[in-house]
Amino acid sequence: MNESVLRRALLIIAVLGLTLGLGVWRNGIDIASPDTIWTAATLPVVAALAISILRDFWIGRIGVDAIALVSMSAALLLGQALAAVVVAIMYAGGTVLEDLARGRAERNLRALTDRAPRVAHRKSAHGTETVAIDQVAVSDELLVRAGDALRSGTVNVGEAFVMRASAIADKSTYAAIVRMVAAAQTAKAPFIRVADRFALLLLPATLLIAAIAWYLSGDPIRALAVLVVATPCPLILAAPVAFIGGVSRAARAGILMKGSAALEALAQIRTAIFDKTGTLTLGGAELIEIDVAPGQGTDEPLRLLASLEQASHHVLADSIVRIARHGNLLLSQPCDVREHRGEGLEGQVDRMSVAAGSRPLVLGSGPLPNWAESGESRYRETQVLRVFVAIDGRLGAVFTFGDAIREDAPGTVEALRSAGVTRIVMLTGDDGAAAEKVSASLDLDAVFANATPADKVGTVEAEKAAAPTMMVGDGINDAPALAAATVGIAMGARGGTASSEAADVVVLTDRLEPVAEALRIARRTRGIALQSIVVGLGLSGAAMIAAAMGHITPVAGALLQEGIDVAVIVNALRALGDGRLGRDRNGRRS
């Protein structure tokens, strides 16, 4: 039987037993004594809990659920069947509440799984056949129709084309993301493991207090009351529910946390290191200037270039298309496109031959026209990307792109400082002049330029020795540094597989702001978990003292502990929320 179903069944049995026993007691029905009914309703919970404890002990784990087992068993032995069944309801209800909390937190994972493709259109000798996704083999040719999902949220909005499968469904990028989210929601954080170890101290302490209460009063019922209110649900439930909620909340914000351990480590970060190109900056994607041939406007060359770039996988292509659409230019579908890796591409747009890319690709060894000479001289010593565009064999325009700072970079740096990050550093392989210019704009604490991948690792290790450090990067050369940091954060929107696999956290959107949001979520989640544990144990401790002094009966203690459990779980579930109540006077959310 599914464990979740079993827990619900045990809760139903205990509740029905309590209700039936109360009915018999109140109405004087002579079918069985209330104590017999309550005992019968408690025994299945006792048996299930005993089996669970033995199973955990067999694999080397000792759980504090033993307190609940001791309290129920003691209540039955002391003739307090009503208290026993109330404790049974309390324990079974707590496990059901945990299941419900986990189910709510995992809703985002189910939504992610539901978006996975179910079928593919495979080409065969007999034409195109629709097959289940798990029947696709490596090297199968697949037809991707207009509007079909291609990879991890990528959508084909152009004409249909044929692709060749390079991996089976279970080995795909999308499947890997689903597995990472699943692992993230089940992995234990160090904080949770510490809570587990601390909870073990509660068992002998509880037994000692119960024994003292019994010895001083001579009343075993006082000892039972102490056991009843000591059931450590705040420790058992609070931290896991809060951390699962935090991972789920991050997923909704486009942030993949690879486990609760990553979330907890992120909550303690004091130093942030950023790569430059593609992380703090756009990676050369900002249009600086357009030089055009005499008698030519800028709109038509831009429209033709953007139309052709729709077929490109280059990082610059998206920016070019975005710029053209922002100018309300009507793009056409290119055809006969040939892409030359690292050089550019050629194709047909509206029956015109268009070539775009490097000067050698577009012009060969030919000279520049006079109108383009000034631009070539102007940018010769600067770090820009020049895209030459030829229309029907003649150079029509030259587009100059520069590496601009991301629009949300200043706000992200400010948010990190507000969150308690005391040192923010830029670590880049670019030259010092370009790095210092970006650093000055963002008011960073230090810059390390001209760094090789090995230099990056060394810098990260040095910073980590001084304080918990996160490294944020996007390229394959950042992967070693991401792995070396206390927490590695990969900008994964552009498909940097190596960096995403090396990182502990992956930002799934092409923005920098989620880095600060991830830190905020992590710190809020850890705070909620700690708060739930401290408050829950504080209330339980006060109730234990009151029970030892004879102010709380076993039945009242069981009801009180149930209220504490519910309060702890509800508080831990706050980690699922945003935590922002409104906006400040500047219009920012607070």
Side-chain angles (χ1 to χ4, degrees), residues 285-304:
E286 189 72 13
L287 180 61
I288 297 175
E289 187 176 10
I290 306 177
D291 295 316
V292 295
Q296 181 94 263
T298 60
D299 283 356
E300 182 62 7
L302 177 57
R303 187 188 74 82
L304 293 174

Side-chain angles (χ1 to χ4, degrees), residues 453-519:
D455 294 333
K456 290 187 176 184
V457 171
T459 301
V460 169
E461 292 285 5
E463 294 289 343
K464 188 171 70 171
T469 299
M470 71 178 183
M471 169 71 191
V472 186
D474 73 316
I476 188 171
N477 59 333
D478 296 320
L482 292 172
T486 308
V487 176
I489 301 182
M491 305 291 289
R494 294 178 180 174
T497 303
S499 57
S500 295
E501 289 181 354
D504 305 289
V505 178
V506 180
V507 175
L508 300 176
T509 59
D510 193 19
R511 296 183 298 115
L512 196 61
E513 183 184 14
V515 172
E517 178 69 1
L519 183 65

Side-chain angles (χ1 to χ4, degrees), residues 252-550:
R252 290 208 308 274
I255 305 160
L256 173 61
M257 301 272 189
K258 296 183 184 178
S260 299
L263 187 145
E264 184 187 352
L266 186 60
Q268 302 175 68
I269 291 301
R270 291 293 177 269
T271 298
I273 301 177
F274 287 89
D275 173 50
K276 172 182 166 286
T277 306
T279 302
L280 288 174
T281 68
L282 295 171
E286 189 72 13
L287 180 61
I288 297 175
E289 187 176 10
I290 306 177
D291 295 316
V292 295
Q296 181 94 263
T298 60
D299 283 356
E300 182 62 7
L302 177 57
R303 187 188 74 82
L304 293 174
L305 172 62
S307 297
L308 184 64
E309 291 287 354
Q310 291 178 110
S312 174
H313 297 290
H314 193 276
V315 66
L316 200 60
D318 289 341
S319 296
I320 295 172
V321 172
R322 173 177 50 81
I323 292 167
R325 286 178 173 159
H326 185 71
N328 296 317
L329 300 181
L330 184 62
L331 304 188
S332 302
Q333 284 297 330
C335 58
D336 299 328
V337 178
R338 300 181 305 282
E339 185 159 10
H340 306 272
R341 188 177 295 273
E343 291 292 327
L345 66 166
E346 301 171 291
Q348 296 285 323
V349 179
D350 295 337
R351 298 183 180 179
M352 288 182 282
S353 175
V354 181
S358 66
R359 177 176 171 178
L361 174 72
V362 176
L363 294 177
S365 58
L368 274 177
N370 291 334
W371 61 265
E373 288 283 359
S374 61
E376 192 72 357
S377 300
R378 191 161 56 249
Y379 293 108
R380 183 169 289 120
E381 301 299 328
T382 59
Q383 287 194 337
V384 296
L385 179 63
R386 304 264 285 166
V387 178
F388 294 78
V389 179
I391 305 168
D392 286 333
R394 299 187 62 181
L395 185 67
V398 181
F399 293 79
T400 304
F401 294 86
D403 192 8
I405 296 174
R406 286 182 181 269
E407 184 179 353
D408 58 351
T412 300
V413 171
E414 181 184 352
L416 289 174
R417 293 197 189 278
S418 299
V421 175
T422 57
R423 180 172 168 82
I424 302 180
V425 175
M426 183 168 68
L427 178 58
T428 178
D430 292 350
D431 68 84
E436 289 289 349
K437 183 177 179 181
V438 173
S439 175
S441 300
L442 296 175
D443 192 24
L444 304 183
D445 297 305
V447 176
F448 299 94
N450 299 304
T452 65
D455 294 333
K456 290 187 176 184
V457 171
T459 301
V460 169
E461 292 285 5
E463 294 289 343
K464 188 171 70 171
T469 299
M470 71 178 183
M471 169 71 191
V472 186
D474 73 316
I476 188 171
N477 59 333
D478 296 320
L482 292 172
T486 308
V487 176
I489 301 182
M491 305 291 289
R494 294 178 180 174
T497 303
S499 57
S500 295
E501 289 181 354
D504 305 289
V505 178
V506 180
V507 175
L508 300 176
T509 59
D510 193 19
R511 296 183 298 115
L512 196 61
E513 183 184 14
V515 172
E517 178 69 1
L519 183 65
R520 188 189 72 84
I521 290 172
R523 291 194 171 168
R524 180 170 181 269
T525 298
R526 192 175 189 276
I528 288 173
L530 182 61
Q531 179 190 80
S532 298
I533 288 174
V534 171
V535 172
L537 288 180
L539 292 173
S540 294
M544 287 170 63
I545 294 172
M549 297 174 66

Side-chain angles (χ1 to χ4, degrees), residues 138-307:
V138 175
S139 297
D140 280 354
E141 289 190 346
L142 307 176
L143 175 66
V144 181
R145 295 171 177 166
D148 275 3
L150 178 62
R151 174 189 173 195
S152 300
T154 303
V155 175
N156 174 29
V157 295
E159 297 178 356
F161 63 90
V162 175
M163 62 170 280
R164 189 179 299 278
S166 60
I168 61 175
D170 284 346
K171 301 295 183 182
S172 69
T173 301
Y174 198 100
I177 291 175
V178 172
R179 284 194 295 271
M180 283 191 288
V181 175
Q185 292 190 329
T186 56
K188 278 192 173 184
F191 185 84
I192 297 175
R193 292 194 293 270
V194 168
D196 287 343
R197 289 194 294 270
F198 181 70
L200 292 178
L201 300 176
L202 191 60
L203 177 57
T206 300
L207 294 175
L208 178 61
I209 294 173
I212 292 173
W214 187 354
Y215 176 78
L216 294 178
S217 67
D219 184 5
I221 302 301
R222 285 199 186 184
L224 175 60
V226 171
L227 293 173
V228 166
V229 298
T231 305
C233 285
L235 277 171
I236 297 170
L237 304 178
V241 169
F243 277 96
I244 291 170
V247 170
S248 182
R249 173 68 187 90
R252 290 208 308 274
I255 305 160
L256 173 61
M257 301 272 189
K258 296 183 184 178
S260 299
L263 187 145
E264 184 187 352
L266 186 60
Q268 302 175 68
I269 291 301
R270 291 293 177 269
T271 298
I273 301 177
F274 287 89
D275 173 50
K276 172 182 166 286
T277 306
T279 302
L280 288 174
T281 68
L282 295 171
E286 189 72 13
L287 180 61
I288 297 175
E289 187 176 10
I290 306 177
D291 295 316
V292 295
Q296 181 94 263
T298 60
D299 283 356
E300 182 62 7
L302 177 57
R303 187 188 74 82
L304 293 174
L305 172 62
S307 297

